[in-house]
Amino acid sequence: MESTVELLPNGGIMGARVRDHNWASTSLGPIATWPQSLKSLVNLVLAAPLPMNLLWGPELIQIYNDAYAPLMGLKHPAGLGQPAAECWQEVWEIAGPLYERVFAGETVVLENSQWILNRHGVLEAAWFDNYLIPVLDENGAVGGAH
């Protein structure tokens, strides 16, 4: 097992899942190779009491917290470490261009926005306030989105 000393020692159920996940099977690679910026952001996400989903790297690999897990419905726990486009296929035609704007450095705010999601085996309407914020890597480039 890879060393996870630098990650939150608790972080709830998702903290344990993050520590135990086979990250080497993703484009992020083992936790030991993650840049400090990603480790710090994961610590923030895991400690947050509000639903948070960090999307990192060109594939927008998902790392989320305990409060976000119920929002995923049946997509949890498989959504951990999964590219967002695969997890959220039903809305990616809309969400993908929004994340392109985020990776260009723009913060995108969507208040009371309706999404048609398949979280429980059927399409359903859900309303969210979404704040899509660029987060920077060690080089000051956008490395991910929150």
Side-chain angles (χ1 to χ4, degrees):
M1 182 186 296
E2 57 193 60
S3 171
T4 57
V5 173
E6 296 166 319
L7 281 183
L8 214 62
N10 48 34
I13 293 168
M14 288 308 299
R17 286 186 184 276
V18 168
R19 288 188 297 277
D20 294 341
H21 190 77
N22 179 13
W23 293 104
S25 69
T26 74
S27 60
L28 300 184
I31 290 175
T33 67
W34 289 2
Q36 186 57 49
S37 55
L38 176 55
K39 292 175 186 176
S40 295
L41 288 163
V42 170
N43 283 332
L44 173 75
V45 166
L46 294 176
L50 299 172
M52 294 180 80
N53 186 15
L54 174 66
L55 307 178
W56 191 261
E59 290 186 296
L60 301 173
I61 300 295
Q62 300 186 125
I63 303 172
Y64 53 90
N65 64 8
D66 286 344
Y68 189 85
L71 298 177
M72 295 190 68
L74 298 176
K75 294 177 185 280
H76 171 70
L80 179 65
Q82 187 178 36
E86 287 178 26
C87 186
W88 302 104
Q89 293 175 26
E90 68 273 23
V91 293
W92 202 250
E93 186 175 308
I94 297 165
L98 296 174
Y99 283 106
E100 287 176 14
R101 290 169 52 191
V102 173
F103 268 75
E106 181 182 348
T107 295
V108 177
V109 177
L110 304 167
E111 294 180 328
N112 199 28
S113 57
Q114 181 183 22
W115 297 88
I116 306 299
L117 303 174
N118 183 355
R119 300 182 296 167
H120 303 286
V122 296
L123 290 175
E124 61 180 324
W127 285 262
F128 297 99
D129 289 336
N130 296 103
Y131 305 96
L132 311 178
I133 303 165
V135 291
L136 305 182
D137 63 16
E138 262 65 13
N139 301 316
V142 177
H146 169 280

